[in-house]
C-alpha cells in the first residue's frame, strides 16, 4: 500500500513539475524575446576593440566592465528526464531550454548593466553549476550563467 | 565595420520534439532493461539454490539471530516447538534437520521461514489460532518452504534486487532508483505466490501424515478472508495469495486427496 502511495506521489510530482515548469518557461521566453527586441540596438559581440573599430576612428568616452548573471534551477520533471538521459546517454534535451534561457537572460542583464553604452566588446559567457551532484541526497541542481564584456561609450561628435 | 542588429527568431539551441514522449520512451527502455536483468539473475538464483547444502546454509547464517530479540524459551515458544517437533518427526529422512521456533511478541499475524531452519512466529498468529491443528498447518506450511528451498530463493532475489538497484544507480536517494526498487519489490512479492500455494500443498500433506487428518487447516484462512473483503489492493501487494483463494484451493485439495476432517486439539500453553 505504501509503495503504491509512493509511486502515485512520484508521478504526481513529475506531472506537477511538468505543468508548472512549462508555464514558467513559456513566460520566461516571452519576457526574454520582448527584452531582446528592446535592447537590439546595443550590440554585444565577441570581437576585440581593434577589429570592431578597424575601419573607423572613434574617440572613446568611457570604458567599463559590465556583467550580468543569472541562476536558474531545474524542475522535477527536468530532473527525472535528466537522470534517465544520463543513464542512456544522448542529448540532454531537458536541460537545453534551461541553459538557453539562462544564457540569453545573462546577456540581457549585461546589456541592461551597460546602460547608455554604444557597444559591448569581448563578450564572454561562463557557466557554473550550483549545488551538489544530481544523485546526492537533498541536492539542489541549478546553473549559473554569467555574461561579461567591455562596454564602450563613444564620444559623439557635436554637430 | 557596420553593425546591423538582427533578431534571430528561430531557436537552434533547443531540440524540437515532446519532452513527455522522451520521458516515456526512456522510462519504458529502463523498465525493460531493469526487469530483464532482474529476471535473469532471479532465475540464476533459483538454479543455484538447490546446490546450497544445509551445512553451507548453517555456516552462512549461524550468527544471524543472536542480536535479535526473538524468544525460544517462553511458554508460547516451547508450545510451538512441541508442535513443530511432532511435524518434523514425520518428515522424510533427507528433509530432517534442526528446526527451531523463534517467537516474537509482535502482534502481526504472520510466520516466516528463515535461513538455517528457523521459523519465526508472531504472537498475533497465536492469538488468532483457535486449535493446535491450525498452528500445525502454518508450521507445516513453513516447513514446505524449507523443503522447496523458498527461503533461500527469497533471500537470493532480495540480494539480486539490491544488486540491480546499486548497479543501475549510484545512490539510494536517487528518486528514480527508489521508485524502481519499490516497484520491483512488489513484483518480487507477487513472485512468491506460487511458492506459497506449493507450500500449502506440502503443509496439507504433512498435516495429514502427522495427525491422520487435516481438520483445522483451512480454518485460519476462512477467518482471515472475512477481514480481507474490503481491501482493494491486497491481492496485488500481499505476500500470500488472498485468503479466500487459498481457502478454496485447500478445500479442493482436501477433496481430491480424500483427506479426513476429524477432531481438533485445543491450544494448551503451559
Amino acid at each position: 500500500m505504501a509503495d503504491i502511495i509512493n509511486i502515485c506521489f512520484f508521478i504526481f510530482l513529475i506531472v506537477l513539475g511538468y505543468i508548472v515548469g512549462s508555464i514558467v518557461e513559456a513566460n520566461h521566453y516571452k519576457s526574454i524575446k520582448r527584452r531582446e527586441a528592446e535592447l537590439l540596438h546595443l550590440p554585444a559581440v565577441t570581437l576585440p576593440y581593434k577589429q570592431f573599430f578597424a575601419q573607423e576612428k572613434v574617440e572613446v568616452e568611457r570604458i567599463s566592465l559590465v556583467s550580468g548573471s543569472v541562476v536558474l534551477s531545474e524542475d522535477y520533471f527536468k530532473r527525472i528526464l535528466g537522470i534517465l538521459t544520463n543513464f542512456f546517454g544522448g542529448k540532454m534535451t531537458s536541460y537545453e531550454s534551461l541553459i538557453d534561457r539562462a544564457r540569453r537572460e545573462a546577456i540581457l542583464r549585461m546589456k541592461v548593466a551597460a546602460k547608455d553604452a554604444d557597444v559591448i566588446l569581448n563578450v564572454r559567457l561562463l557557466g557554473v553549476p550550483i549545488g551538489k551532484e544530481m544523485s546526492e541526497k537533498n541536492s539542489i541542481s541549478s546553473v549559473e550563467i554569467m555574461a561579461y564584456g567591455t562596454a564602450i561609450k563613444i564620444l559623439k561628435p557635436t554637430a | 565595420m557596420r553593425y546591423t542588429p538582427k533578431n534571430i527568431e528561430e531557436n537552434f539551441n533547443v531540440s524540437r520534439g515532446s519532452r513527455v514522449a522522451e520521458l516515456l520512451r526512456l522510462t519504458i527502455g529502463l523498465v525493460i532493461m531493469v526487469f530483464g536483468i532482474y529476471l535473469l539473475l532471479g532465475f540464476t538464483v533459483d538454479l543455484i539454490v538447490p546446490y546450497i547444502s544445509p551445512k553451507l546454509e548453517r555456516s552462512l547464517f549461524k550468527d544471524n539471530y543472536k542480536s535479535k530479540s526473538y524468544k525460544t524459551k517462553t511458554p508460547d515458544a516451547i508450545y510451538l516447538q512441541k508442535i513443530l517437533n511432532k511435524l518434523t518427526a514425520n518428515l522424510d529422512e533427507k528433509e530432517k534437520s534442526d528446526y527451531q521456533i523463534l517467537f516474537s511478541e509482535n502482534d502481526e499475524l504472520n510466520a516466516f521461514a528463515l535461513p538455517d531452519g528457523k521459523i519465526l512466529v508472531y504472537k498475533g498468529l497465536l492469538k488468532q489460532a483457535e486449535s493446535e491443528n491450525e498452528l500445525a498447518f502454518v508450521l507445516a506450511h513453513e516447513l514446505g518452504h524449507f523443503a522447496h528451498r523458498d527461503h533461500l530463493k527469497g533471500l537470493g532475489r532480495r540480494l539480486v534486487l539490491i544488486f540491480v538497484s546499486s548497479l543501475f544507480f549510484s545512490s539510494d536517494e536517487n528518486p528514480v532508483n527508489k521508485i524502481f526498487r519499490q516497484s520491483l519489490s512488489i513484483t518480487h512479492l507477487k513472485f512468491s505466490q506460487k511458492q506459497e500455494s506449493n507450500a500449502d500443498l506440502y503443509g496439507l500433506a504433512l498435516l495429514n501424515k502427522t495427525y491422520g487428518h487435516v481438520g483445522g487447516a483451512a480454518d485460519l484462512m476462512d477467518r482471515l478472508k472475512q477481514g480481507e473483503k474490503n481491501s482493494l489492493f491486497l491481492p496485488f501487494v500481499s505476500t500470500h495469495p488472498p485468503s479466500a483463494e487459498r481457502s478454496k484451493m485447500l478445500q479442493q485439495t482436501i477433496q481430491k486427496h480424500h483427506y479426513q476432517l476429524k477432531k481438533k486439539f485445543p491450544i494448551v500453553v503451559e
Side-chain angles (χ1 to χ4, degrees):
Chain A
M1 191 63 200
D3 291 339
I4 289 169
I5 292 173
N6 267 331
I7 291 173
C8 289
F9 186 61
F10 177 69
I11 293 170
F12 171 75
L13 277 182
I14 294 183
V15 172
L16 189 77
Y18 180 71
I19 294 170
V20 175
S22 300
I23 293 170
V24 168
E25 188 157 292
N27 284 339
H28 193 198
Y29 264 124
K30 224 158 113 185
S31 146
I32 286 174
K33 279 178 185 156
R34 180 178 51 79
R35 285 177 294 150
E36 273 178 349
E38 281 170 16
L39 290 164
L40 200 60
H41 61 88
L42 175 61
V45 294
T46 55
L47 287 176
Y49 180 84
K50 271 188 183 164
Q51 278 178 31
F52 192 81
F53 294 112
Q55 277 143 28
E56 49 183 325
K57 198 138 178 73
V58 289
E59 213 172 318
V60 172
E61 183 190 319
R62 197 184 71 234
I63 296 177
S64 56
L65 171 72
V66 284
S67 69
S69 90
V70 64
V71 181
L72 282 189
S73 175
E74 58 180 6
D75 55 55
Y76 202 70
F77 175 83
K78 282 192 169 64
R79 175 175 185 167
I80 298 302
L81 186 52
I83 291 171
L84 287 173
T85 316
N86 201 357
F87 181 75
F88 285 104
K91 282 185 290 182
M92 271 275 188
T93 49
S94 66
Y95 289 104
E96 282 177 350
S97 59
L98 189 79
I99 303 290
D100 184 58
R101 276 157 55 202
R103 199 169 44 229
R104 288 162 77 169
E105 179 72 39
I107 292 174
L108 281 171
R109 289 185 181 182
M110 179 186 70
K111 283 186 171 186
V112 172
K115 282 186 196 131
D116 55 347
D118 293 295
V119 62
I120 306 174
L121 299 174
N122 279 313
V123 171
R124 299 288 182 269
L125 285 162
L126 175 84
V128 184
I130 290 184
K132 287 181 277 183
E133 289 230 357
M134 211 161 48
S135 56
E136 273 178 50
K137 194 182 173 185
N138 297 329
S139 72
I140 47 154
S141 190
S142 47
V143 65
E144 182 197 12
I145 300 279
M146 183 187 185
Y148 60 95
T150 310
I152 308 273
K153 169 106 178 120
I154 299 162
L155 192 68
K156 297 268 169 11
T158 43
Chain B
M1 193 187 301
R2 268 204 85 72
Y3 175 81
T4 340
K6 189 171 160 244
N7 213 358
I8 297 165
E9 280 301 319
E10 205 180 337
N11 193 343
F12 301 98
N13 290 322
V14 179
S15 300
R16 288 161 191 276
S18 160
R19 300 287 173 272
V20 180
E22 198 180 343
L23 183 80
L24 287 178
R25 216 183 54 232
L26 291 175
T27 309
I28 291 167
L30 190 67
V31 167
I32 291 172
M33 226 160 112
V34 171
F35 272 76
I37 292 182
Y38 173 67
L39 287 182
L40 207 74
L41 287 176
F43 284 127
T44 317
V45 165
D46 288 357
L47 283 179
I48 293 171
V49 158
Y51 297 100
I52 298 178
S53 69
K55 209 174 150 194
L56 177 64
E57 186 185 330
R58 174 143 305 173
S59 66
L60 283 175
F61 297 101
K62 203 169 44 187
D63 303 322
N64 209 17
Y65 309 101
K66 278 186 179 159
S67 58
K68 311 262 166 54
S69 60
Y70 299 138
K71 308 275 193 312
T72 53
K73 298 277 178 260
T74 60
D76 289 335
I78 292 169
Y79 172 66
L80 288 165
Q81 185 70 47
K82 263 187 199 161
I83 304 176
L84 184 66
N85 291 346
K86 253 194 229 180
L87 291 167
T88 49
N90 288 292
L91 286 176
D92 292 342
E93 268 316 308
K94 62 176 175 132
E95 281 174 3
K96 273 189 183 158
S97 173
D98 245 352
Y99 292 108
Q100 196 190 11
I101 293 283
L102 299 176
F103 191 75
S104 166
E105 298 287 338
N106 197 320
D107 274 338
E108 204 178 315
L109 205 159
N110 219 336
F112 290 105
L114 302 175
D116 189 23
K118 306 279 193 256
I119 298 178
L120 173 62
V121 181
Y122 287 106
K123 197 177 184 177
L125 187 75
L126 202 61
K127 274 189 189 163
Q128 274 284 330
E130 286 177 5
S131 70
E132 182 189 312
N133 304 59
E134 281 177 36
L135 289 172
F137 175 67
V138 173
L139 296 181
H141 167 100
E142 301 305 331
L143 286 172
H145 281 314
F146 284 119
H148 302 142
R149 315 290 273 167
D150 292 339
H151 60 303
L152 287 183
K153 286 177 192 167
L155 202 75
R157 280 189 187 274
R158 220 155 300 160
L159 271 177
V160 167
L161 203 64
I162 295 166
F163 173 70
V164 169
S165 55
S166 62
L167 181 76
F168 279 83
F169 308 100
S170 53
S171 157
D172 275 355
E173 295 304 323
N174 181 321
V176 177
N177 179 22
K178 225 164 119 184
I179 244 62
F180 260 98
R181 254 215 326 269
Q182 274 158 1
S183 50
L184 276 175
S185 75
I186 290 177
T187 53
H188 160 245
L189 296 179
K190 234 178 125 59
F191 247 93
S192 55
Q193 290 204 0
K194 194 169 179 267
Q195 298 173 335
E196 297 294 348
S197 306
N198 286 338
D200 271 353
L201 294 181
Y202 181 98
L204 215 50
L206 184 60
L207 194 68
N208 190 49
K209 206 171 164 187
T210 309
Y211 289 85
H213 69 97
V214 294
D219 289 7
L220 194 64
M221 297 304 143
D222 286 341
R223 242 171 293 131
L224 285 180
K225 76 181 179 193
Q226 302 303 327
E228 284 173 13
K229 274 190 178 144
N230 303 323
S231 176
L232 184 68
F233 290 110
L234 208 83
F236 184 63
V237 297
S238 169
T239 44
H240 292 63
S243 300
E245 251 176 57
R246 282 178 85 182
S247 164
K248 208 172 128 195
M249 201 207 72
L250 286 174
Q251 303 290 3
Q252 283 170 353
T253 317
I254 289 169
Q255 278 174 9
K256 200 176 131 198
H257 292 268
H258 306 294
Y259 288 144
Q260 306 271 305
L261 295 173
K262 287 184 192 159
K263 197 170 168 291
K264 293 168 259 182
F265 294 105
I267 295 177
V268 192
V269 180
E270 286 149 12

